[in-house]
Amino acid sequence: MSELTVRVSDRRDVAEGVFALELAATGGTLPRWTPGAHIDVHAGAVGVRQYSLCGDPADENRWRIAILRETAGRGGSEHLYRTAEVGTSLRVSVPRNNFELEPSGEYLFLAGGIGITPILPMVTAAVRAGARWSLHYGARTRAHLAFTDELSRYEHVNLVPQNESGLLPLADLLADTTAAVYCCGPAPLLDAVETEGARRGLAVHTERFTPRRVDNVVDRAFSVRLAHSGQVLAVAADRSIVDVLEGAGVAIVTSCREGTCGSCETTFLEGEVQHRDSVLTADERAHGRTLMPCVSRALSDVLVLDL
């Protein structure tokens, strides 16, 4: 994984419990990125966390991320809340994108809470492309809606505080649309959008900050064979493929270890996979040849990896 050091050049609160960090290059320009991209951020002893880039993709001098402070979370956001002041150096990855904005004449953007972050640059891209678009953005209260100052410049934005207007009216929004649908937010919103979209045959694109719930999980032992060396490794029911590979000295890039970041995506050549990630689309799972070895497992006795 390519990494670099950036400097916090600005910090501000953008909603209740949400703070934004502007990150500047320590020398030269920053790597280019596209709407939907995220970066890994080192959060001290807590580990690495992923945050969507939510600034302007055309700005090569500054990146921006926004972080929901979760006091009862795993500690990453709390660490950055306490330590990421202006002037602080942070170690980050180059941008990676599992949520690419595909060309379309019309977009329907749906966001919930901190899920507005990857959607913001998508709105910018849609405006620059001259596409038709609308954004429907919900949160618990008006105070929990982030970046409302920036969103106020647009006409096609519908802000939906739950305590005033209820939940996003997904059935109505998806009823007659032919737009490409992009959605990010809490799991119940994503589940509902995916279910309603599938029922209507819509092209729905989602990104998850937390692992997708997987039903009918099978924690069984199996073996992986490494195609390049022929080495066969046993994967016990209580160990991940990544754990076994690392234990055998096989170098593999990994970050979140919960199937949400896509950094460990690996090609498999033979075998049947039970996908447990939150990155691959249904079509990629059914017809693709990659898996996320941090969470996915084999349903066959042997899984052959292109390693």
Side-chain angles (χ1 to χ4, degrees):
M1 182 196 317
S2 298
E3 294 186 339
L4 64 153
T5 299
V6 295
R7 178 178 53 83
V8 178
S9 59
D10 188 46
R11 170 174 171 156
R12 69 184 181 102
D13 294 332
V14 293
E16 183 72 29
V18 179
F19 61 101
L21 302 178
E22 189 175 272
L23 309 176
T26 55
T29 58
L30 293 167
R32 299 296 298 270
W33 58 282
T34 53
H38 68 269
I39 58 173
D40 297 339
V41 180
H42 288 265
V46 176
V48 175
R49 298 293 183 265
Q50 291 76 40
Y51 298 104
S52 297
L53 291 169
C54 58
D56 185 349
D59 189 341
E60 296 182 351
N61 298 309
R62 287 175 296 275
W63 288 343
R64 185 177 65 179
I65 59 174
I67 300 171
L68 173 64
R69 184 188 183 192
E70 299 179 280
T71 55
R74 295 180 298 153
S77 64
E78 187 66 18
H79 172 86
L80 293 170
Y81 177 82
R82 295 195 316 268
T83 63
E85 301 292 346
V86 173
T88 301
S89 293
L90 293 176
R91 193 71 180 163
V92 302
S93 73
V94 297
R96 192 167 55 247
N97 202 335
N98 303 316
F99 193 38
E100 288 276 5
L101 183 67
E102 298 177 1
S104 177
E106 184 177 2
Y107 297 101
L108 172 61
F109 299 121
L110 304 171
I114 194 63
I116 190 62
T117 50
I119 299 296
L120 274 177
M122 291 185 176
V123 168
T124 299
V127 171
R128 288 175 176 167
R132 299 184 304 279
W133 66 275
S134 63
L135 165 63
H136 302 266
Y137 176 28
R140 282 184 291 163
T141 70
R142 195 168 293 275
H144 289 88
L145 294 164
F147 298 109
T148 53
D149 54 341
E150 297 179 24
L151 293 172
S152 65
R153 74 183 69 159
Y154 300 117
E155 296 180 3
H156 309 295
V157 174
N158 179 30
L159 301 179
V160 186
Q162 184 178 343
N163 66 329
E164 299 176 21
S165 307
L167 299 173
L168 290 174
L170 298 180
D172 293 340
L173 293 174
L174 298 173
D176 300 311
T177 188
T178 57
V181 181
Y182 284 79
C183 179
C184 187
L189 170 63
L190 299 176
D191 292 341
V193 170
E194 289 178 343
T195 299
E196 187 70 19
R199 190 170 71 85
R200 299 179 181 278
L202 298 174
V204 174
H205 308 265
T206 60
E207 182 170 62
R208 293 175 181 265
F209 294 139
T210 56
R212 183 195 303 269
R213 189 190 68 188
V214 181
D215 296 323
N216 302 316
V217 295
V218 179
D219 288 325
R220 58 186 291 276
F222 57 93
S223 297
V224 293
R225 178 160 58 86
L226 310 185
H228 296 185
S229 67
Q231 185 177 11
V232 177
L233 303 172
V235 182
D238 60 349
R239 299 193 71 198
S240 71
I241 299 174
V242 159
D243 288 340
V244 171
L245 291 174
E246 290 179 336
V250 179
I252 185 166
V253 174
T254 184
S255 178
C256 73
R257 292 181 178 264
E258 58 184 16
T260 59
C261 75
S263 63
C264 67
E265 186 171 4
T266 301
T267 299
F268 70 95
L269 304 176
E270 297 177 27
E272 185 180 359
V273 176
Q274 183 180 66
H275 295 284
R276 300 185 182 185
D277 66 275
S278 304
V279 176
L280 298 176
T281 65
D283 185 67
E284 289 169 334
R285 292 173 178 219
H287 306 292
R289 301 300 297 178
T290 65
L291 77 160
M292 306 302 159
C294 65
V295 292
S296 295
R297 303 188 67 80
L299 294 175
S300 53
D301 291 334
V302 179
L303 191 62
V304 182
L305 302 180
D306 189 17
L307 292 174

